[in-house]
Amino acid sequence: MKGPTSPIITVPRLASTNLNPHEPTSAQLSISISPPVTSGGSPDRSFETPSRQPSSFQTMGTINGLTLSSESDQGFVLLPKVDSTKNFPIVPKVVEWIQVGACRQPNFDFRGRDDLIEKMKNRLLRLSQTELTSISRPNAFVICGAAGLGKTQTALHFFHSFKSQFDVRLWIQADSKESLFVAFKEISARLKLESRAEAQDAVLSRELVKGWLMEPFQNFTKKDGKLMKWLLIIDNADNPDDVLDFWPYDGQGSIVITSRNRGAMTQNYFGDCGAELSVLNSDEAAALLRRLLERDRRPHESPDILRKAVAKLEYWPLAIAQMAGIISRHKLSLSKFLEIYESREHRLMYHSTRVGNLHGGYTLTLTAAWALENLSPGAAQLLSVISMLAPASIPEEILTTTPERTKLSGYPLDSGSYSREVEAIESRSIITQQAGDRAHDPVDLSIHPLIQEVVRGQLLKSDDEVASVFSASIGLMTGVWPFETLPFYGFHDFDRVERREQCDKLLPHVTQLSRLYETLPEETRRKCTSVDFLNILSEIAWYQYQRSNMDESLVYIQLTLKILKNEPDSHPQIRAGQLGTWSNIAMEINQPEVSLQKNFEALEIRERIFAETGVFNSQLAASYTETARSMMMNNMFDKAKGLIEKSIEVRKKMPQFSRLQLYSPWYYLSLIHLHEGEYEKAASLVLDALREREMEFGRDDCESKRTGLLLICLGNIYGKLNLHKESFEYHQRALIQFQAAGGEDDLDTANAYYKVASHYVRNKTPDLAQFAIERAIQGLQRSRFHRGEVARAMFLQAKVFSESGQGDAITTLRQSIDIRRQLTENDTRAGEVLKESDFDELVVIWRR
């Protein structure tokens, strides 16, 4: 015999503007509800007529004594409809259910996060029974961050440490909406809100549980008895929209959400109370590794080697846990592990290796943690490029200014697709977007170095893939770098100050690309070598030279020449440019023979190019001037004059000639006249050059340091003419100009401080002299290459100490003489016979 027919209630979809539900049905839901049973056991077919209930609830029907109701802005809840003839079940005194078996036991290996746990305690454990009645919404705490940082382990530690303070403690997975429906059906049964046999409708079970969470009486149907304290952990809520349909917006309780999506910790979702996890600090990371290794009864490792190991693993909890398993499995000492881990091939292999159950409570390997295989093609290509750059402060303009230069299939070419792909990557906490303080400030991205290496290992598996993404990154960089070393015509604003901010912003990223290039296998490097890359290397070398970073400049010069060595006849302009920069460095560090040799090599290449093309350009003109400068250092002044005249001739034949182009030849010719005692000729040339610049840029411009160099030269000329007042004025102007154009730490700024200090000594103002000479020495000591300048400055400082009685004049003098003797082995004269001119000989001619 058939049983009673179940009435069908048509329930409208949730209408809340706060929710974006994706129910299993389309426009409406048909929910089959068994009629309530009377005391006699027969079905009660009487349903309450819809009417307004307290709190704006609309009654829809009943089930087992519960009234199914709707609320216009909160979704569905359940209100009790008391049947005095029925004994309703009550919620057990203690309910604990953990959906994932791996989380049912505490993680005894958990280490660190003490501040975070304390913050969670203050937020989630503060409710007394009295407070429960006054709280209108649950206390939520969001833990967000990238994969493998310990979000789940932190929540697990809190759950097991403090679960005794809650009557109902629940742990559910939010991997998908289906998983949440399954969890709420199980919770409904465990809370005795419905039997397992009745828990057939997922939506109804969800609403039953939400109703209880909002009014957690032990006797829910009668709304009496104890208000129960509950804790709900929602783990892996990486798609917060899925969770909204299950969220109890009213009522009491404590909820912890873990999510890779930073948006979860905003008012759009679960509130802004929480924390974004970062890597462990050094002590926490070392403690975790020590604990994991001790589990296998290994010999104790020293604190130093533990710190080295966790530093190599970037203090990333998942990396530490996974590598601890590998170390134990292969019975490696930490020293041996670090030796093996240096190999990129072994690192990539270790990152994807799973050894049994991973240590530390983690279930995924590094390569699996971010699910990179699920990214769209555009997001994968964009992330691959990001993995090539320096991890911090990646300007978005690199990625968006010339996207067509990447030539990568799927790379986002317009702002809409770029924003969409960045959002997809950031939602997994793989990258972070950092906006400026103002609305229109540019946005920077950042990514952890460990994630970068995992991305490169997982997304770029072949040499061709590595080469294509590397070349794309170089192409993007070429689109935003403010070049100075490429061929040009007319006046060239060399060493212009305005480009430095851009160069400083981009420099870490081009540096990272060049370092990455050197780690690649030879065949891959060959595929990555391009004209764009070589031009970028030339630019880094030149810019580092401009900023007085001689060691760094030489690194990129030698890398470029090493690449070109395999193709001796290719890219002659680039080869000549790097040789020219090398010669400039040799001049700055007082190696006149090396400077002359490199300039001869560069000039030979450029004269050969001119013979083939017949084109007058800036490189040829500069080669003549720079070779003349090297000749000046080698006391070949007559030959230097001849090359300067050639340089002037070339410049005048170039298209778009401007008298501003004569700055360099005029300046260096004036130095020759100054050296030869022809002070009026020297002054005339410098004043002509200064006049041209003032007409173009104004008095004491900051376009570059060129004006400062002219002012220093004029100060030196007037000093030779014993016009000390005028000399002092020009040196002061030069100091101010260098400070503005080069910065306080610039080498020319330091030299100007020395010149000004000399005037203060002459004017008998020792306090000002001491201040200026200290700043000079401070700036000169930035580089190990300018010991001659340091010796000269200390010689003057000893004089200041002697005349003022302040400072140790004898020790300072001895130190300056010691440096001089190291630089001039054949001169062993005593300090009392040495003069300032003897120390001038240690300094390049344009800084004397």
Side-chain angles (χ1 to χ4, degrees):
M1 179 178 178
K2 285 188 175 181
T5 303
S6 298
I8 302 297
I9 300 179
T10 300
V11 183
R13 271 191 170 276
L14 301 179
S16 169
T17 58
N18 294 325
L19 304 181
N20 182 25
H22 303 282
E23 303 296 359
T25 58
S26 56
Q28 291 183 327
L29 291 173
S30 294
I31 301 180
S32 176
I33 301 179
S34 301
V37 181
T38 64
S39 57
S42 60
D44 182 358
R45 304 184 190 279
S46 63
F47 281 81
E48 183 173 324
T49 303
S51 62
R52 295 296 295 172
Q53 298 292 323
S55 302
S56 302
F57 286 111
Q58 181 70 36
T59 302
M60 304 300 296
T62 61
I63 177 173
N64 290 351
L66 299 178
T67 303
L68 177 61
S69 305
S70 69
E71 188 184 34
S72 61
D73 62 347
Q74 300 293 345
F76 296 110
V77 295
L78 292 165
L79 293 176
K81 178 176 181 297
V82 178
D83 184 346
S84 58
T85 64
K86 177 176 172 60
N87 291 323
F88 293 98
I90 62 173
V91 177
K93 292 182 179 180
V94 175
V95 176
E96 178 174 316
W97 181 65
I98 300 173
Q99 189 174 9
V100 179
C103 296
R104 290 170 187 163
Q105 297 297 323
N107 177 6
F108 297 106
D109 297 325
F110 184 84
R111 294 293 184 276
R113 308 294 189 198
D114 295 338
D115 292 343
L116 177 56
I117 295 298
E118 190 64 29
K119 188 177 179 181
M120 295 175 70
K121 286 169 57 179
N122 293 336
R123 173 71 175 175
L124 303 173
L125 302 182
R126 59 184 176 84
L127 296 180
S128 64
Q129 270 295 311
T130 303
E131 289 174 316
L132 278 172
T133 60
S134 63
I135 300 299
S136 61
R137 62 181 54 199
N139 288 308
F141 193 96
V142 182
I143 306 174
C144 61
L149 283 175
K151 301 180 295 297
T152 297
Q153 299 308 313
T154 301
L156 185 66
H157 180 74
F158 179 85
F159 183 91
H160 286 290
S161 297
F162 303 105
K163 65 182 183 181
S164 62
Q165 301 191 34
F166 298 92
D167 305 303
V168 175
R169 47 263 192 166
L170 307 166
W171 182 294
I172 64 176
Q173 293 297 109
D175 301 322
S176 65
K177 204 162 189 178
E178 290 71 22
S179 175
L180 288 167
F181 273 119
V182 169
F184 270 60
K185 285 177 65 176
E186 179 66 23
I187 292 170
S188 178
R190 288 180 178 264
L191 293 176
K192 307 298 185 184
L193 303 180
E194 57 182 340
S195 69
R196 293 189 185 279
E198 294 167 336
Q200 299 302 313
D201 191 292
V203 175
L204 180 59
S205 297
R206 177 191 68 186
E207 299 309 321
L208 284 165
V209 174
K210 285 171 64 178
W212 182 85
L213 293 174
M214 289 190 279
E215 293 184 308
F217 288 96
Q218 192 168 9
N219 190 333
F220 178 54
T221 53
K222 291 186 177 181
K223 290 190 180 179
D224 63 10
K226 173 185 176 183
L227 270 174
M228 304 183 76
K229 295 177 68 175
W230 56 266
L231 170 65
L232 173 63
I233 309 291
I234 305 177
D235 193 24
N236 292 336
D238 299 336
N239 186 357
D241 289 305
D242 286 349
V243 179
L244 288 179
D245 293 342
F246 298 81
W247 189 263
Y249 286 93
D250 287 332
Q252 306 84 14
S254 297
I255 306 177
V256 176
I257 307 98
T258 73
S259 177
R260 299 184 190 184
N261 193 327
R262 295 182 183 87
M265 198 171 67
T266 65
Q267 293 297 338
N268 290 333
Y269 289 102
F270 313 123
D272 54 9
C273 184
E276 181 173 352
L277 290 190
S278 60
V279 295
L280 299 171
N281 65 42
S282 177
D283 290 339
E284 291 173 338
L288 174 60
L289 180 57
R290 182 187 300 109
R291 166 64 183 174
L292 295 175
L293 296 179
E294 285 174 350
R295 289 177 50 182
D296 297 303
R297 300 177 182 177
R298 294 168 45 85
H300 290 292
E301 300 275 6
S302 72
D304 285 345
I305 196 68
L306 283 166
R307 279 192 288 269
K308 286 181 182 178
V310 295
K312 183 61 69 175
L313 298 173
E314 301 286 351
Y315 309 107
W316 203 278
L318 173 55
I320 294 170
Q322 186 178 347
M323 294 308 112
I326 289 172
I327 291 167
S328 298
R329 170 71 176 271
H330 297 288
K331 297 181 172 57
L332 301 173
S333 67
L334 280 183
S335 298
K336 186 64 176 176
F337 165 75
L338 289 174
E339 178 185 335
I340 296 172
Y341 199 74
E342 284 296 319
S343 161
R344 180 176 182 271
E345 181 181 356
H346 281 94
R347 285 200 304 275
L348 296 179
M349 180 181 68
Y350 282 174
H351 291 167
S352 61
T353 299
R354 182 185 181 92
V355 182
N357 292 319
L358 290 179
H359 286 52
Y362 292 94
T363 58
L364 295 173
T365 63
L366 281 168
T367 53
W370 288 282
L372 301 178
E373 67 279 2
N374 295 331
L375 289 172
S376 69
Q381 296 283 31
L382 180 60
L383 183 58
S384 297
V385 169
I386 291 171
S387 76
M388 294 278 178
L389 306 176
S393 301
I394 302 170
E396 278 197 325
E397 65 179 293
I398 295 177
L399 307 169
T400 60
T401 300
T402 55
E404 68 281 357
R405 296 180 68 99
T406 65
K407 300 179 182 177
L408 294 174
S409 176
Y411 188 91
L413 299 177
D414 57 75
S415 59
S417 57
Y418 171 81
S419 298
R420 184 172 60 252
E421 305 300 9
V422 165
E423 182 180 352
I425 299 170
E426 189 182 29
S427 70
R428 300 165 182 252
S429 289
I430 295 174
I431 61 172
T432 302
Q433 292 191 79
Q434 299 158 320
D437 296 331
R438 296 168 297 181
H440 299 293
D441 283 350
V443 174
D444 287 350
L445 307 179
S446 62
I447 182 172
H448 195 277
L450 185 63
I451 301 180
Q452 284 184 303
E453 184 156 41
V454 171
V455 169
R456 291 195 297 267
Q458 192 169 356
L459 296 185
L460 308 176
K461 295 181 179 178
S462 71
D463 287 349
D464 287 341
E465 289 174 325
V466 171
S468 64
V469 173
F470 182 89
S471 298
S473 304
I474 292 296
L476 291 169
M477 197 63 63
T478 300
V480 292
W481 182 273
F483 282 89
E484 276 196 352
T485 59
L486 297 180
F488 59 88
Y489 302 95
F491 172 70
H492 191 10
D493 44 356
F494 254 171
D495 199 22
R496 63 189 188 274
V497 174
E498 65 183 25
R499 86 179 192 123
R500 292 186 183 173
E501 181 180 356
Q502 179 77 344
C503 290
D504 288 340
K505 183 167 60 175
L506 301 177
L507 186 61
H509 305 291
V510 292
T511 300
Q512 174 78 354
L513 284 165
S514 66
R515 290 174 178 167
L516 184 62
Y517 175 88
E518 293 191 87
T519 67
L520 298 174
E522 183 176 351
E523 179 61 21
T524 309
R525 287 201 305 270
R526 187 187 62 77
K527 294 178 180 179
C528 291
T529 302
S530 64
V531 175
D532 281 347
F533 180 51
L534 293 171
N535 281 329
I536 283 286
L537 291 178
S538 296
E539 275 291 319
I540 305 175
W542 176 249
Y543 184 66
Q544 294 285 24
Y545 160 73
Q546 288 179 314
R547 302 315 302 259
S548 301
N549 299 321
M550 308 304 175
D551 285 323
E552 290 85 349
S553 181
L554 281 169
V555 167
Y556 296 106
I557 291 171
Q558 290 164 357
L559 174 58
T560 308
L561 296 178
K562 179 181 176 182
I563 294 170
L564 294 175
K565 187 176 181 180
N566 296 325
E567 301 177 52
D569 297 325
S570 63
H571 311 297
Q573 282 285 21
I574 295 174
R575 188 189 308 274
Q578 292 293 59
L579 289 169
T581 304
W582 194 343
S583 74
N584 286 350
I585 294 172
M587 290 185 222
E588 290 293 340
I589 64 180
N590 221 353
Q591 294 179 348
E593 296 85 0
V594 174
S595 173
L596 189 58
Q597 176 196 344
K598 299 304 176 186
N599 262 324
F600 276 151
E601 292 178 27
L603 181 57
E604 180 184 1
I605 293 172
R606 283 175 171 155
E607 285 186 325
R608 187 169 66 246
I609 294 173
F610 173 72
E612 294 172 355
T613 64
V615 175
F616 295 97
N617 62 30
S618 57
Q619 278 87 352
L620 180 61
S623 270
Y624 283 131
T625 307
E626 293 305 307
T627 306
R629 192 156 66 119
S630 295
M631 287 177 171
M632 291 162 56
M633 290 188 69
N634 287 274
N635 296 314
M636 302 163 63
F637 292 100
D638 288 338
K639 290 185 177 181
K641 288 179 185 177
L643 289 184
I644 289 174
E645 292 300 331
K646 280 191 173 184
S647 177
I648 293 173
E649 181 183 346
V650 170
R651 291 167 195 267
K652 288 182 176 180
K653 291 180 179 180
M654 285 169 55
Q656 306 170 25
F657 169 71
S658 162
R659 284 172 63 85
L660 283 170
Q661 294 170 245
L662 299 178
Y663 161 82
S664 294
W666 281 351
Y667 172 63
Y668 292 120
L669 195 55
S670 72
L671 291 177
I672 294 176
H673 291 320
L674 177 60
H675 173 76
E676 294 177 342
E678 296 178 318
Y679 304 132
E680 291 185 3
K681 286 185 178 181
S684 176
L685 283 171
V686 175
L687 287 170
D688 280 348
L690 189 60
R691 190 177 302 112
E692 293 294 335
R693 292 190 63 78
E694 288 184 352
M695 289 172 59
E696 182 72 22
F697 304 112
R699 179 183 167 92
D700 297 348
D701 67 273
C702 294
E703 180 266 344
S704 68
K705 295 190 296 181
R706 289 169 169 176
T707 294
L709 293 172
L710 294 173
L711 293 171
I712 280 283
C713 189
L714 277 173
N716 293 345
I717 293 169
Y718 285 116
K720 292 292 186 180
L721 293 170
N722 293 320
L723 299 172
H724 297 299
K725 180 180 178 181
E726 292 81 358
S727 175
F728 187 25
E729 177 187 345
Y730 280 115
H731 283 154
Q732 283 184 310
R733 284 175 61 186
L735 173 60
I736 294 169
Q737 202 276 341
F738 285 139
Q739 286 173 321
E744 194 67 22
D745 295 331
D746 186 79
L747 182 61
D748 288 309
T749 303
N751 187 56
Y753 268 122
Y754 170 80
K755 293 292 183 180
V756 170
S758 299
H759 289 287
Y760 287 138
V761 171
R762 182 178 296 105
N763 295 335
K764 306 297 183 183
T765 50
D767 289 344
L768 292 175
Q770 178 59 24
F771 170 79
I773 202 64
E774 284 180 355
R775 298 307 294 266
I777 293 172
Q778 186 178 50
L780 294 168
Q781 287 179 331
R782 286 185 64 242
S783 170
R784 65 185 178 88
F785 294 118
H786 296 98
R787 299 174 66 213
E789 286 87 341
V790 172
R792 182 176 67 162
M794 294 183 71
F795 183 76
L796 182 62
Q797 186 180 46
K799 185 175 182 179
V800 175
F801 286 157
S802 177
E803 293 180 357
S804 66
Q806 300 176 0
D808 189 343
I810 295 175
T811 300
T812 304
L813 179 61
R814 184 184 302 117
Q815 290 173 342
S816 69
I817 294 171
D818 287 344
I819 295 173
R820 186 179 186 280
R821 285 177 176 170
Q822 292 170 15
L823 298 174
T824 57
E825 298 177 0
N826 297 327
D827 191 343
T828 58
R829 287 178 290 168
E832 56 270 14
V833 301
L834 292 173
K835 297 177 293 187
E836 185 176 337
S837 59
D838 295 311
F839 285 87
D840 279 339
E841 296 173 356
L842 305 176
V843 180
V844 292
I845 187 171
W846 45 90
R847 291 208 176 92
R848 291 180 184 173

